[in-house]
Amino acid sequence: MPIFYLFVVILDEPAAAWQAIWRPATLSLLLRSLALAVAVGFTATAVAVPLAWLTGRSDLPWRRGWTVLSVLPLVIPSYIGAYLFVSAFGPRGELQKLLGVDQLPSLYGFVGAWIVLTLFTFPLVLLPVRAAMRRLDPTLEDAARGMGRSQFEVARSVILPQLIPAIGAGALLVSLYALSDFGAVSILRFDSFTQVIYQSYRSSFDRTAAAGLAGVLVLVLFVLLAAERRVRARRSYHRIGPGSARITEDVALGRWRWPAVAFCTVVALLSFVMPVGMLIFWSTQSIAGDIDWSQVTTAAANSVLLAGLTAAVAVVAALPVAWLGARAPGRLSRVVDGLTTSGYALPGIVVALAMVFVGIRLVPALYQSLPMTVIAMVIICLPLAVTSTRSAVLQIPPRLEEAARSSGRSPLAVLATVGIPLTRIGILAGAALVFVAAIKELPIVVLLSPIGFDTLPLVIWQQSSRSFFESGAIPALMLIAVTAPGVWLLVGRQR
Amino acid sequence: MLNRIPRIASLSLAVLAVAVGGCASNGDGGSGDSKSLTIYSGRDKEYVEPLIESFKRANPKMAVEVRYGDSAELAATIREEGDRTPAGIFFSQDAGALGALGKEGLLKQLPTSILDRVPSAYRSPQGDWVGTSGRVRVLGYDSRVLKADQLPQSVFDLTDPKWRGKVGWAPTNASFQAFVTAMRMTDGEEKTKKWLEGMKANDTHSYEKNSIIRDAIADGEIEVGLINHYYVLEAIKEGKANGATYPVKILFFPGGDVGTMINVAGIGIPKSSTQQAAAEAFISFVLADPQQKYFADEVGEYPLVKGIAQDPSLPPLESIQQPDKLDLADLADLQGTQKLLQETGVL
């Protein structure tokens, strides 16, 4: 739907759109944004894979706690994370006061955006990787060790290759997030594609230019998708032996125990403990202002309702897409993938305006109603559910389904009795991911929700735009608190 | 393998339809009678809500709804909605968003009875939007170290070496950027660029927002800073100090200097609105004396209607000269400004 809208707008004034795109500045903008997306994808993987292994497969002390902590950064919206980061490490920030120095190296621009986006998105890689690690068949590792390979060689040659689809899917989500993020890059003053698209709307009211640039972004998306597909291309990741896999065993860390704990501590401190600590500190200050508690609690209920509905619808919608992608990879699935992912990769404002344009013409009765808001949210969040479900589907041996089919069950019955139960964890994880993402969403709610339907991000935005960001601290904490059940679902169900 | 996919797909679609249909509400955005009014407000809820409450009290039978958002994004929404927009009123934080809609012919002509309430400088020359209150760019200064005769006469004087390291500004702030845009309009790109470079070379301190500049002056960190006129009033009202002893005072640059440009918030009616009568009633209400006084007293802005006094410590609006050659609707061109700010290394 967003792509259709972009077509309409661009075709309305093709010359102007072409003019907006065909500039040297566009190329450098594109390269910068791509560089950010790829860099964030790599660092998020570099943080997430060791963390996933430590919390998933090792005898790390307090593993349960680290497991939860490692996912919690997802509940912090990037705009809040970026603001907190600047307040802590930026000019005139807390760290500068603490050290009493005049100046710190500037963190605005690429580096700041890179660090912040990595910190608050790496769980998107960690979750699928950890889930995949736990579904691995340990006999493969045993066999490799039996042939005299060292632990390291086993990790490199046996474990890592099996994790590739999960890493690829997670890194793709992170990269696309970095590509479409507006909050963090605007606060950190990094001129990304999204930033410029927003500016076209906000300051020059130029929708043609914005649509042209968004169109380029869609092309970039297809390139990234192709790259990810190449990574996981044409291999099988399911067991072929009879019986079912043994439960994996934990690896003893030995003398690496405490360095591992230190690593986890640093990541947890930067990505969750410090931001939340600062929010708590601010909320105790007078500038937190007088909070209208009934407004905040209503907004919290609305947020949960909206994110819950979005998660439910997204999971159902994701099933066929995921199955198609896993079982029948081909041109059809590639197109479907591209279309469903575009909503996630495009800036929120573009999707919101697309829904305005299409919604009011197609289903005026539903315009600015809750169902339409949910649909728009699903468009934005669908890939989160799809990737999670798909990597689970990939690990089911197709023979199981074939066996069920040959015993005379209908395809639907096979899905209900074999497919869904076996991918249950993947589906639930997808639902939780969608929930966590949807609850943070702002532009869709601003433009499409029923009037008066306040959500927490809306309240945070209103509170902080009027004077101080700090006055949004209490609703921000509330947002983190109500997202926690989603996180619990994400980690609680993983054995 | 492939043959079951359509079935799965149709099943999912069915489930989707049920899920969505099940929670469908009656979302009628724009019913056509004059007894309802839908407002798209780019102005903060904090300031608009009290106005709405008193408007409702005055029109108890009218159903009034407000959608809050960013002015420019709401303008973009009204454009996408086209002739089906549910909005009866667009209440914008700045003239730029109204000007953009006006240029596309998406705003209704307003009756002269409404337009004439406001001086012509603060409304659309085409008569399709009207300003409701104004903000003035001023120079805040530390009255403990600077006497009136030591103050600069123009914003362009601040590049003088004697102000080195003593000036504060907020390059990311929207009001500041609107002011730089105005400077580009009135004094040209070249001169604006030179001024920005001069300011940067003069070691001007950057702050996140106006209120922090004000506090930095009060703390003696800098001597002067470019802010909006109401921040000093706000500090006094918040009880940071009483009016007499508060060290930060404000200077209005004389003679139509662009450093003292006035930007307005304003209202327009979308062209295809079906709520014209209610919308006009609302605009008249906002421009009536009590509401104009509300902007003066509670928001600290300048009322635009003649005869409504601003705080006695501030000069009357008539005495502030808007720079020549400044069309408020043109202030939308922030993109050029941001580019310039980046080229000069200010951002």
Side-chain angles (χ1 to χ4, degrees):
Chain A
M1 199 142 11
I3 293 183
F4 168 72
Y5 161 79
L6 292 178
F7 263 120
V8 171
V9 174
I10 293 174
L11 290 181
D12 194 26
E13 288 176 85
W18 183 246
Q19 212 176 6
I21 300 170
W22 197 247
R23 287 184 303 198
T26 308
L27 186 64
S28 70
L29 187 65
L30 184 63
L31 291 177
R32 267 204 311 268
S33 297
L34 259 182
L36 180 73
V38 171
V40 173
F42 269 107
T43 45
T45 306
V47 174
V49 172
L51 211 53
W53 185 80
L54 286 172
T55 54
R57 293 288 307 274
S58 78
D59 65 344
L60 186 74
W62 314 296
R63 198 170 89 176
R64 189 85 202 158
W66 296 122
T67 308
V68 176
L69 266 177
S70 63
V71 185
L72 281 174
L74 268 192
V75 308
I76 299 176
S78 69
Y79 48 93
I80 294 180
Y83 186 87
L84 294 168
F85 188 72
V86 170
S87 323
F89 302 119
R92 303 165 61 76
E94 308 289 338
L95 181 68
Q96 193 173 339
K97 283 184 213 156
L98 213 65
L99 298 177
V101 292
D102 277 344
Q103 211 158 9
L104 287 169
S106 168
L107 46 80
Y108 288 110
F110 186 88
V111 175
W114 185 14
I115 297 173
V116 168
L117 286 171
T118 300
L119 281 179
F120 300 106
T121 58
F122 76 83
L124 289 176
V125 184
L126 182 134
L127 282 164
V129 171
R130 187 157 62 200
M133 271 180 187
R134 286 163 159 263
R135 285 190 300 254
L136 290 182
D137 187 345
T139 38
L140 279 176
E141 294 165 47
D142 295 345
R145 264 193 294 272
M147 289 188 287
R149 302 265 183 100
S150 72
Q151 182 72 37
F152 176 76
E153 280 170 335
V154 172
R156 196 181 55 83
S157 62
V158 178
I159 301 181
L160 204 58
Q162 296 188 79
L163 297 179
I164 289 290
I167 293 177
L172 179 72
L173 287 180
V174 167
S175 297
L176 295 181
Y177 187 97
L179 211 54
S180 68
D181 175 77
F182 171 67
V185 294
S186 67
I187 289 173
L188 293 163
R189 297 185 212 152
F190 176 72
D191 263 330
S192 71
F193 234 82
T194 312
Q195 165 90 326
V196 173
I197 290 172
Y198 265 81
Q199 291 304 348
S200 309
Y201 281 120
R202 284 203 173 162
S203 55
S204 45
F205 302 94
D206 189 350
R207 72 163 178 174
T208 312
L213 292 173
V216 176
L217 204 56
V218 172
L219 293 182
V220 172
L221 158 75
F222 275 87
V223 173
L224 284 177
L225 278 178
E228 189 254 353
R229 187 167 296 106
R230 177 150 292 190
V231 167
R232 74 178 146 90
R234 306 259 166 234
R235 294 194 210 170
S236 59
Y237 298 98
H238 48 79
R239 281 170 52 83
I240 48 171
S244 68
R246 249 189 310 129
I247 289 177
T248 53
E249 277 159 28
D250 294 342
V251 176
L253 284 172
R255 64 197 161 95
W256 289 102
R257 214 173 143 91
W258 297 111
V261 169
F263 171 68
C264 295
T265 311
V266 169
V267 173
L269 267 182
L270 283 176
S271 62
F272 186 73
V273 177
M274 243 176 43
V276 171
M278 280 178 80
L279 283 177
I280 292 176
F281 171 71
W282 278 340
S283 63
T284 60
Q285 303 289 299
S286 61
I287 39 177
D290 43 338
I291 288 292
D292 180 354
W293 281 101
S294 73
Q295 190 201 10
V296 174
T297 45
T298 315
N302 285 342
S303 293
V304 171
L305 173 70
L306 182 57
L309 284 173
T310 305
V313 177
V315 163
V316 176
L319 263 181
V321 182
W323 230 275
L324 190 68
R327 290 291 187 245
R331 194 164 293 156
L332 176 64
S333 95
R334 234 174 288 166
V335 172
V336 171
D337 262 3
L339 293 181
T340 54
T341 315
S342 64
Y344 179 79
L346 283 171
I349 183 74
V350 175
V351 178
L353 286 173
M355 289 300 289
V356 166
F357 181 81
V358 177
I360 203 165
R361 286 168 179 78
L362 219 59
V363 273
L366 286 183
Y367 185 60
Q368 292 180 341
S369 67
L370 189 57
M372 179 169 284
T373 318
V374 171
I375 294 175
M377 290 284 214
V378 169
I379 289 179
I380 279 192
C381 301
L382 192 58
L384 293 168
V386 170
T387 45
S388 183
T389 308
R390 187 177 53 210
S391 49
V393 174
L394 279 174
Q395 290 187 326
I396 306 179
R399 288 199 330 202
L400 281 183
E401 294 164 45
E402 284 154 17
R405 281 299 298 279
S406 62
S407 67
R409 297 200 197 167
S410 72
L412 271 185
V414 173
L415 183 65
T417 55
V418 179
I420 292 180
L422 283 176
T423 47
R424 195 185 62 235
I425 291 178
I427 292 173
L428 269 177
L433 273 181
V434 171
F435 180 87
V436 171
I439 209 162
K440 298 185 288 197
E441 176 58 35
L442 182 61
I444 298 279
V445 173
V446 169
L447 298 187
L448 286 169
S449 70
I451 286 182
F453 189 85
D454 286 350
T455 63
L456 285 170
L458 202 66
V459 175
I460 295 170
W461 172 71
Q462 280 171 357
Q463 291 279 344
S464 52
S465 73
R466 71 182 212 194
S467 53
F468 290 98
F469 191 90
E470 286 81 339
S471 48
I474 290 176
L477 281 173
M478 191 79 155
L479 177 65
I480 291 171
V482 298
T483 319
V487 172
W488 190 247
L489 202 60
L490 277 173
V491 292
R493 303 301 295 240
Q494 288 185 7
R495 265 194 274 151
Chain B
M1 187 61 56
L2 263 168
N3 63 350
R4 68 160 176 235
I5 282 155
R7 284 217 226 166
I8 298 176
S10 58
L11 169 80
S12 314
L13 277 178
V15 175
L16 183 84
V18 171
V20 168
C23 54
S25 65
N26 289 323
D28 61 332
S31 46
D33 61 295
S34 67
K35 285 297 167 206
S36 66
L37 178 62
T38 302
I39 298 172
Y40 279 15
S41 172
R43 302 216 66 189
D44 285 355
K45 191 175 182 177
E46 188 189 10
Y47 300 134
V48 175
E49 202 157 47
L51 275 181
I52 304 292
E53 288 310 314
S54 49
F55 181 68
K56 276 184 183 163
R57 274 197 297 279
N59 301 273
K61 284 194 188 140
M62 198 185 289
V64 186
E65 291 184 313
V66 192
R67 175 176 297 278
Y68 295 96
D70 172 84
S71 293
E73 289 176 19
L74 288 174
T77 305
I78 289 173
R79 182 170 46 193
E80 298 305 343
E81 288 167 345
D83 52 11
R84 295 161 189 249
T85 182
I89 283 279
F90 177 41
F91 198 171
S92 175
Q93 175 70 12
D94 45 58
L98 287 161
L101 282 182
K103 255 177 222 154
E104 305 224 350
L106 290 169
L107 294 179
K108 260 196 176 75
Q109 191 73 24
L110 298 175
T112 45
S113 60
I114 286 179
L115 293 169
D116 287 346
R117 291 281 291 166
V118 171
S120 59
Y122 308 121
R123 63 183 199 220
S124 154
Q126 288 76 40
D128 53 3
W129 58 264
V130 61
T132 50
S133 60
R135 315 179 276 280
V136 187
R137 293 295 295 177
V138 296
L139 186 75
Y141 66 94
D142 186 344
S143 61
R144 291 164 302 193
V145 294
L146 293 169
K147 298 282 160 284
D149 58 343
Q150 296 170 301
L151 294 171
Q153 290 303 297
S154 159
V155 73
F156 288 102
D157 294 346
L158 290 173
T159 53
D160 190 288
K162 80 174 170 194
W163 295 107
R164 191 175 183 83
K166 295 176 179 171
V167 189
W169 66 6
T172 55
N173 176 271
S175 296
F176 173 82
Q177 294 185 355
F179 145 72
V180 176
T181 312
M183 185 187 276
R184 289 170 50 222
M185 305 290 153
T186 57
D187 294 82
E189 297 284 335
E190 243 347 271
K191 196 170 171 195
T192 308
K193 188 172 180 192
K194 263 200 159 133
W195 180 76
L196 288 169
E197 285 165 349
M199 290 292 282
K200 192 166 159 52
N202 221 8
D203 202 15
T204 300
H205 293 245
S206 290
Y207 295 89
E208 281 303 309
K209 45 179 82 173
N210 287 307
S211 52
I212 303 179
I213 298 180
R214 173 200 65 203
D215 294 345
I217 300 173
D219 295 343
E221 205 175 300
I222 46 175
E223 291 182 9
V224 296
L226 297 168
I227 57 177
N228 285 350
H229 76 271
Y230 46 81
Y231 284 98
V232 170
L233 281 180
E234 180 190 273
I236 294 167
K237 234 189 327 191
E238 280 173 4
K240 295 201 176 187
N242 67 46
T245 59
Y246 193 61
V248 187
K249 302 267 185 271
I250 53 180
L251 168 78
F252 292 72
F253 292 113
D257 188 87
V258 70
T260 296
M261 52 105 34
I262 305 169
N263 199 359
V264 299
I267 294 190
I269 303 179
K271 184 126 213 170
S272 33
S273 160
T274 51
Q275 306 172 330
Q276 187 166 6
E280 285 176 7
F282 181 74
I283 303 180
S284 302
F285 177 81
V286 172
L287 293 177
D289 294 2
Q291 282 62 246
Q292 287 289 297
K293 217 168 149 24
Y294 163 83
F295 285 118
D297 298 344
E298 302 299 324
V299 189
E301 291 180 322
Y302 270 96
L304 296 181
V305 169
K306 253 205 174 124
I308 311 295
Q310 177 42 284
D311 192 273
S313 68
L314 295 173
L317 186 68
E318 300 83 68
S319 73
I320 305 167
Q321 199 186 330
Q322 182 79 316
D324 295 339
K325 293 185 282 183
L326 183 59
D327 181 355
L328 286 175
D330 283 342
L331 290 185
D333 179 30
L334 275 183
Q335 212 163 30
T337 298
Q338 278 165 345
K339 213 172 130 221
L340 195 61
L341 289 173
Q342 269 161 3
E343 272 172 25
T344 50
V346 173
L347 262 189

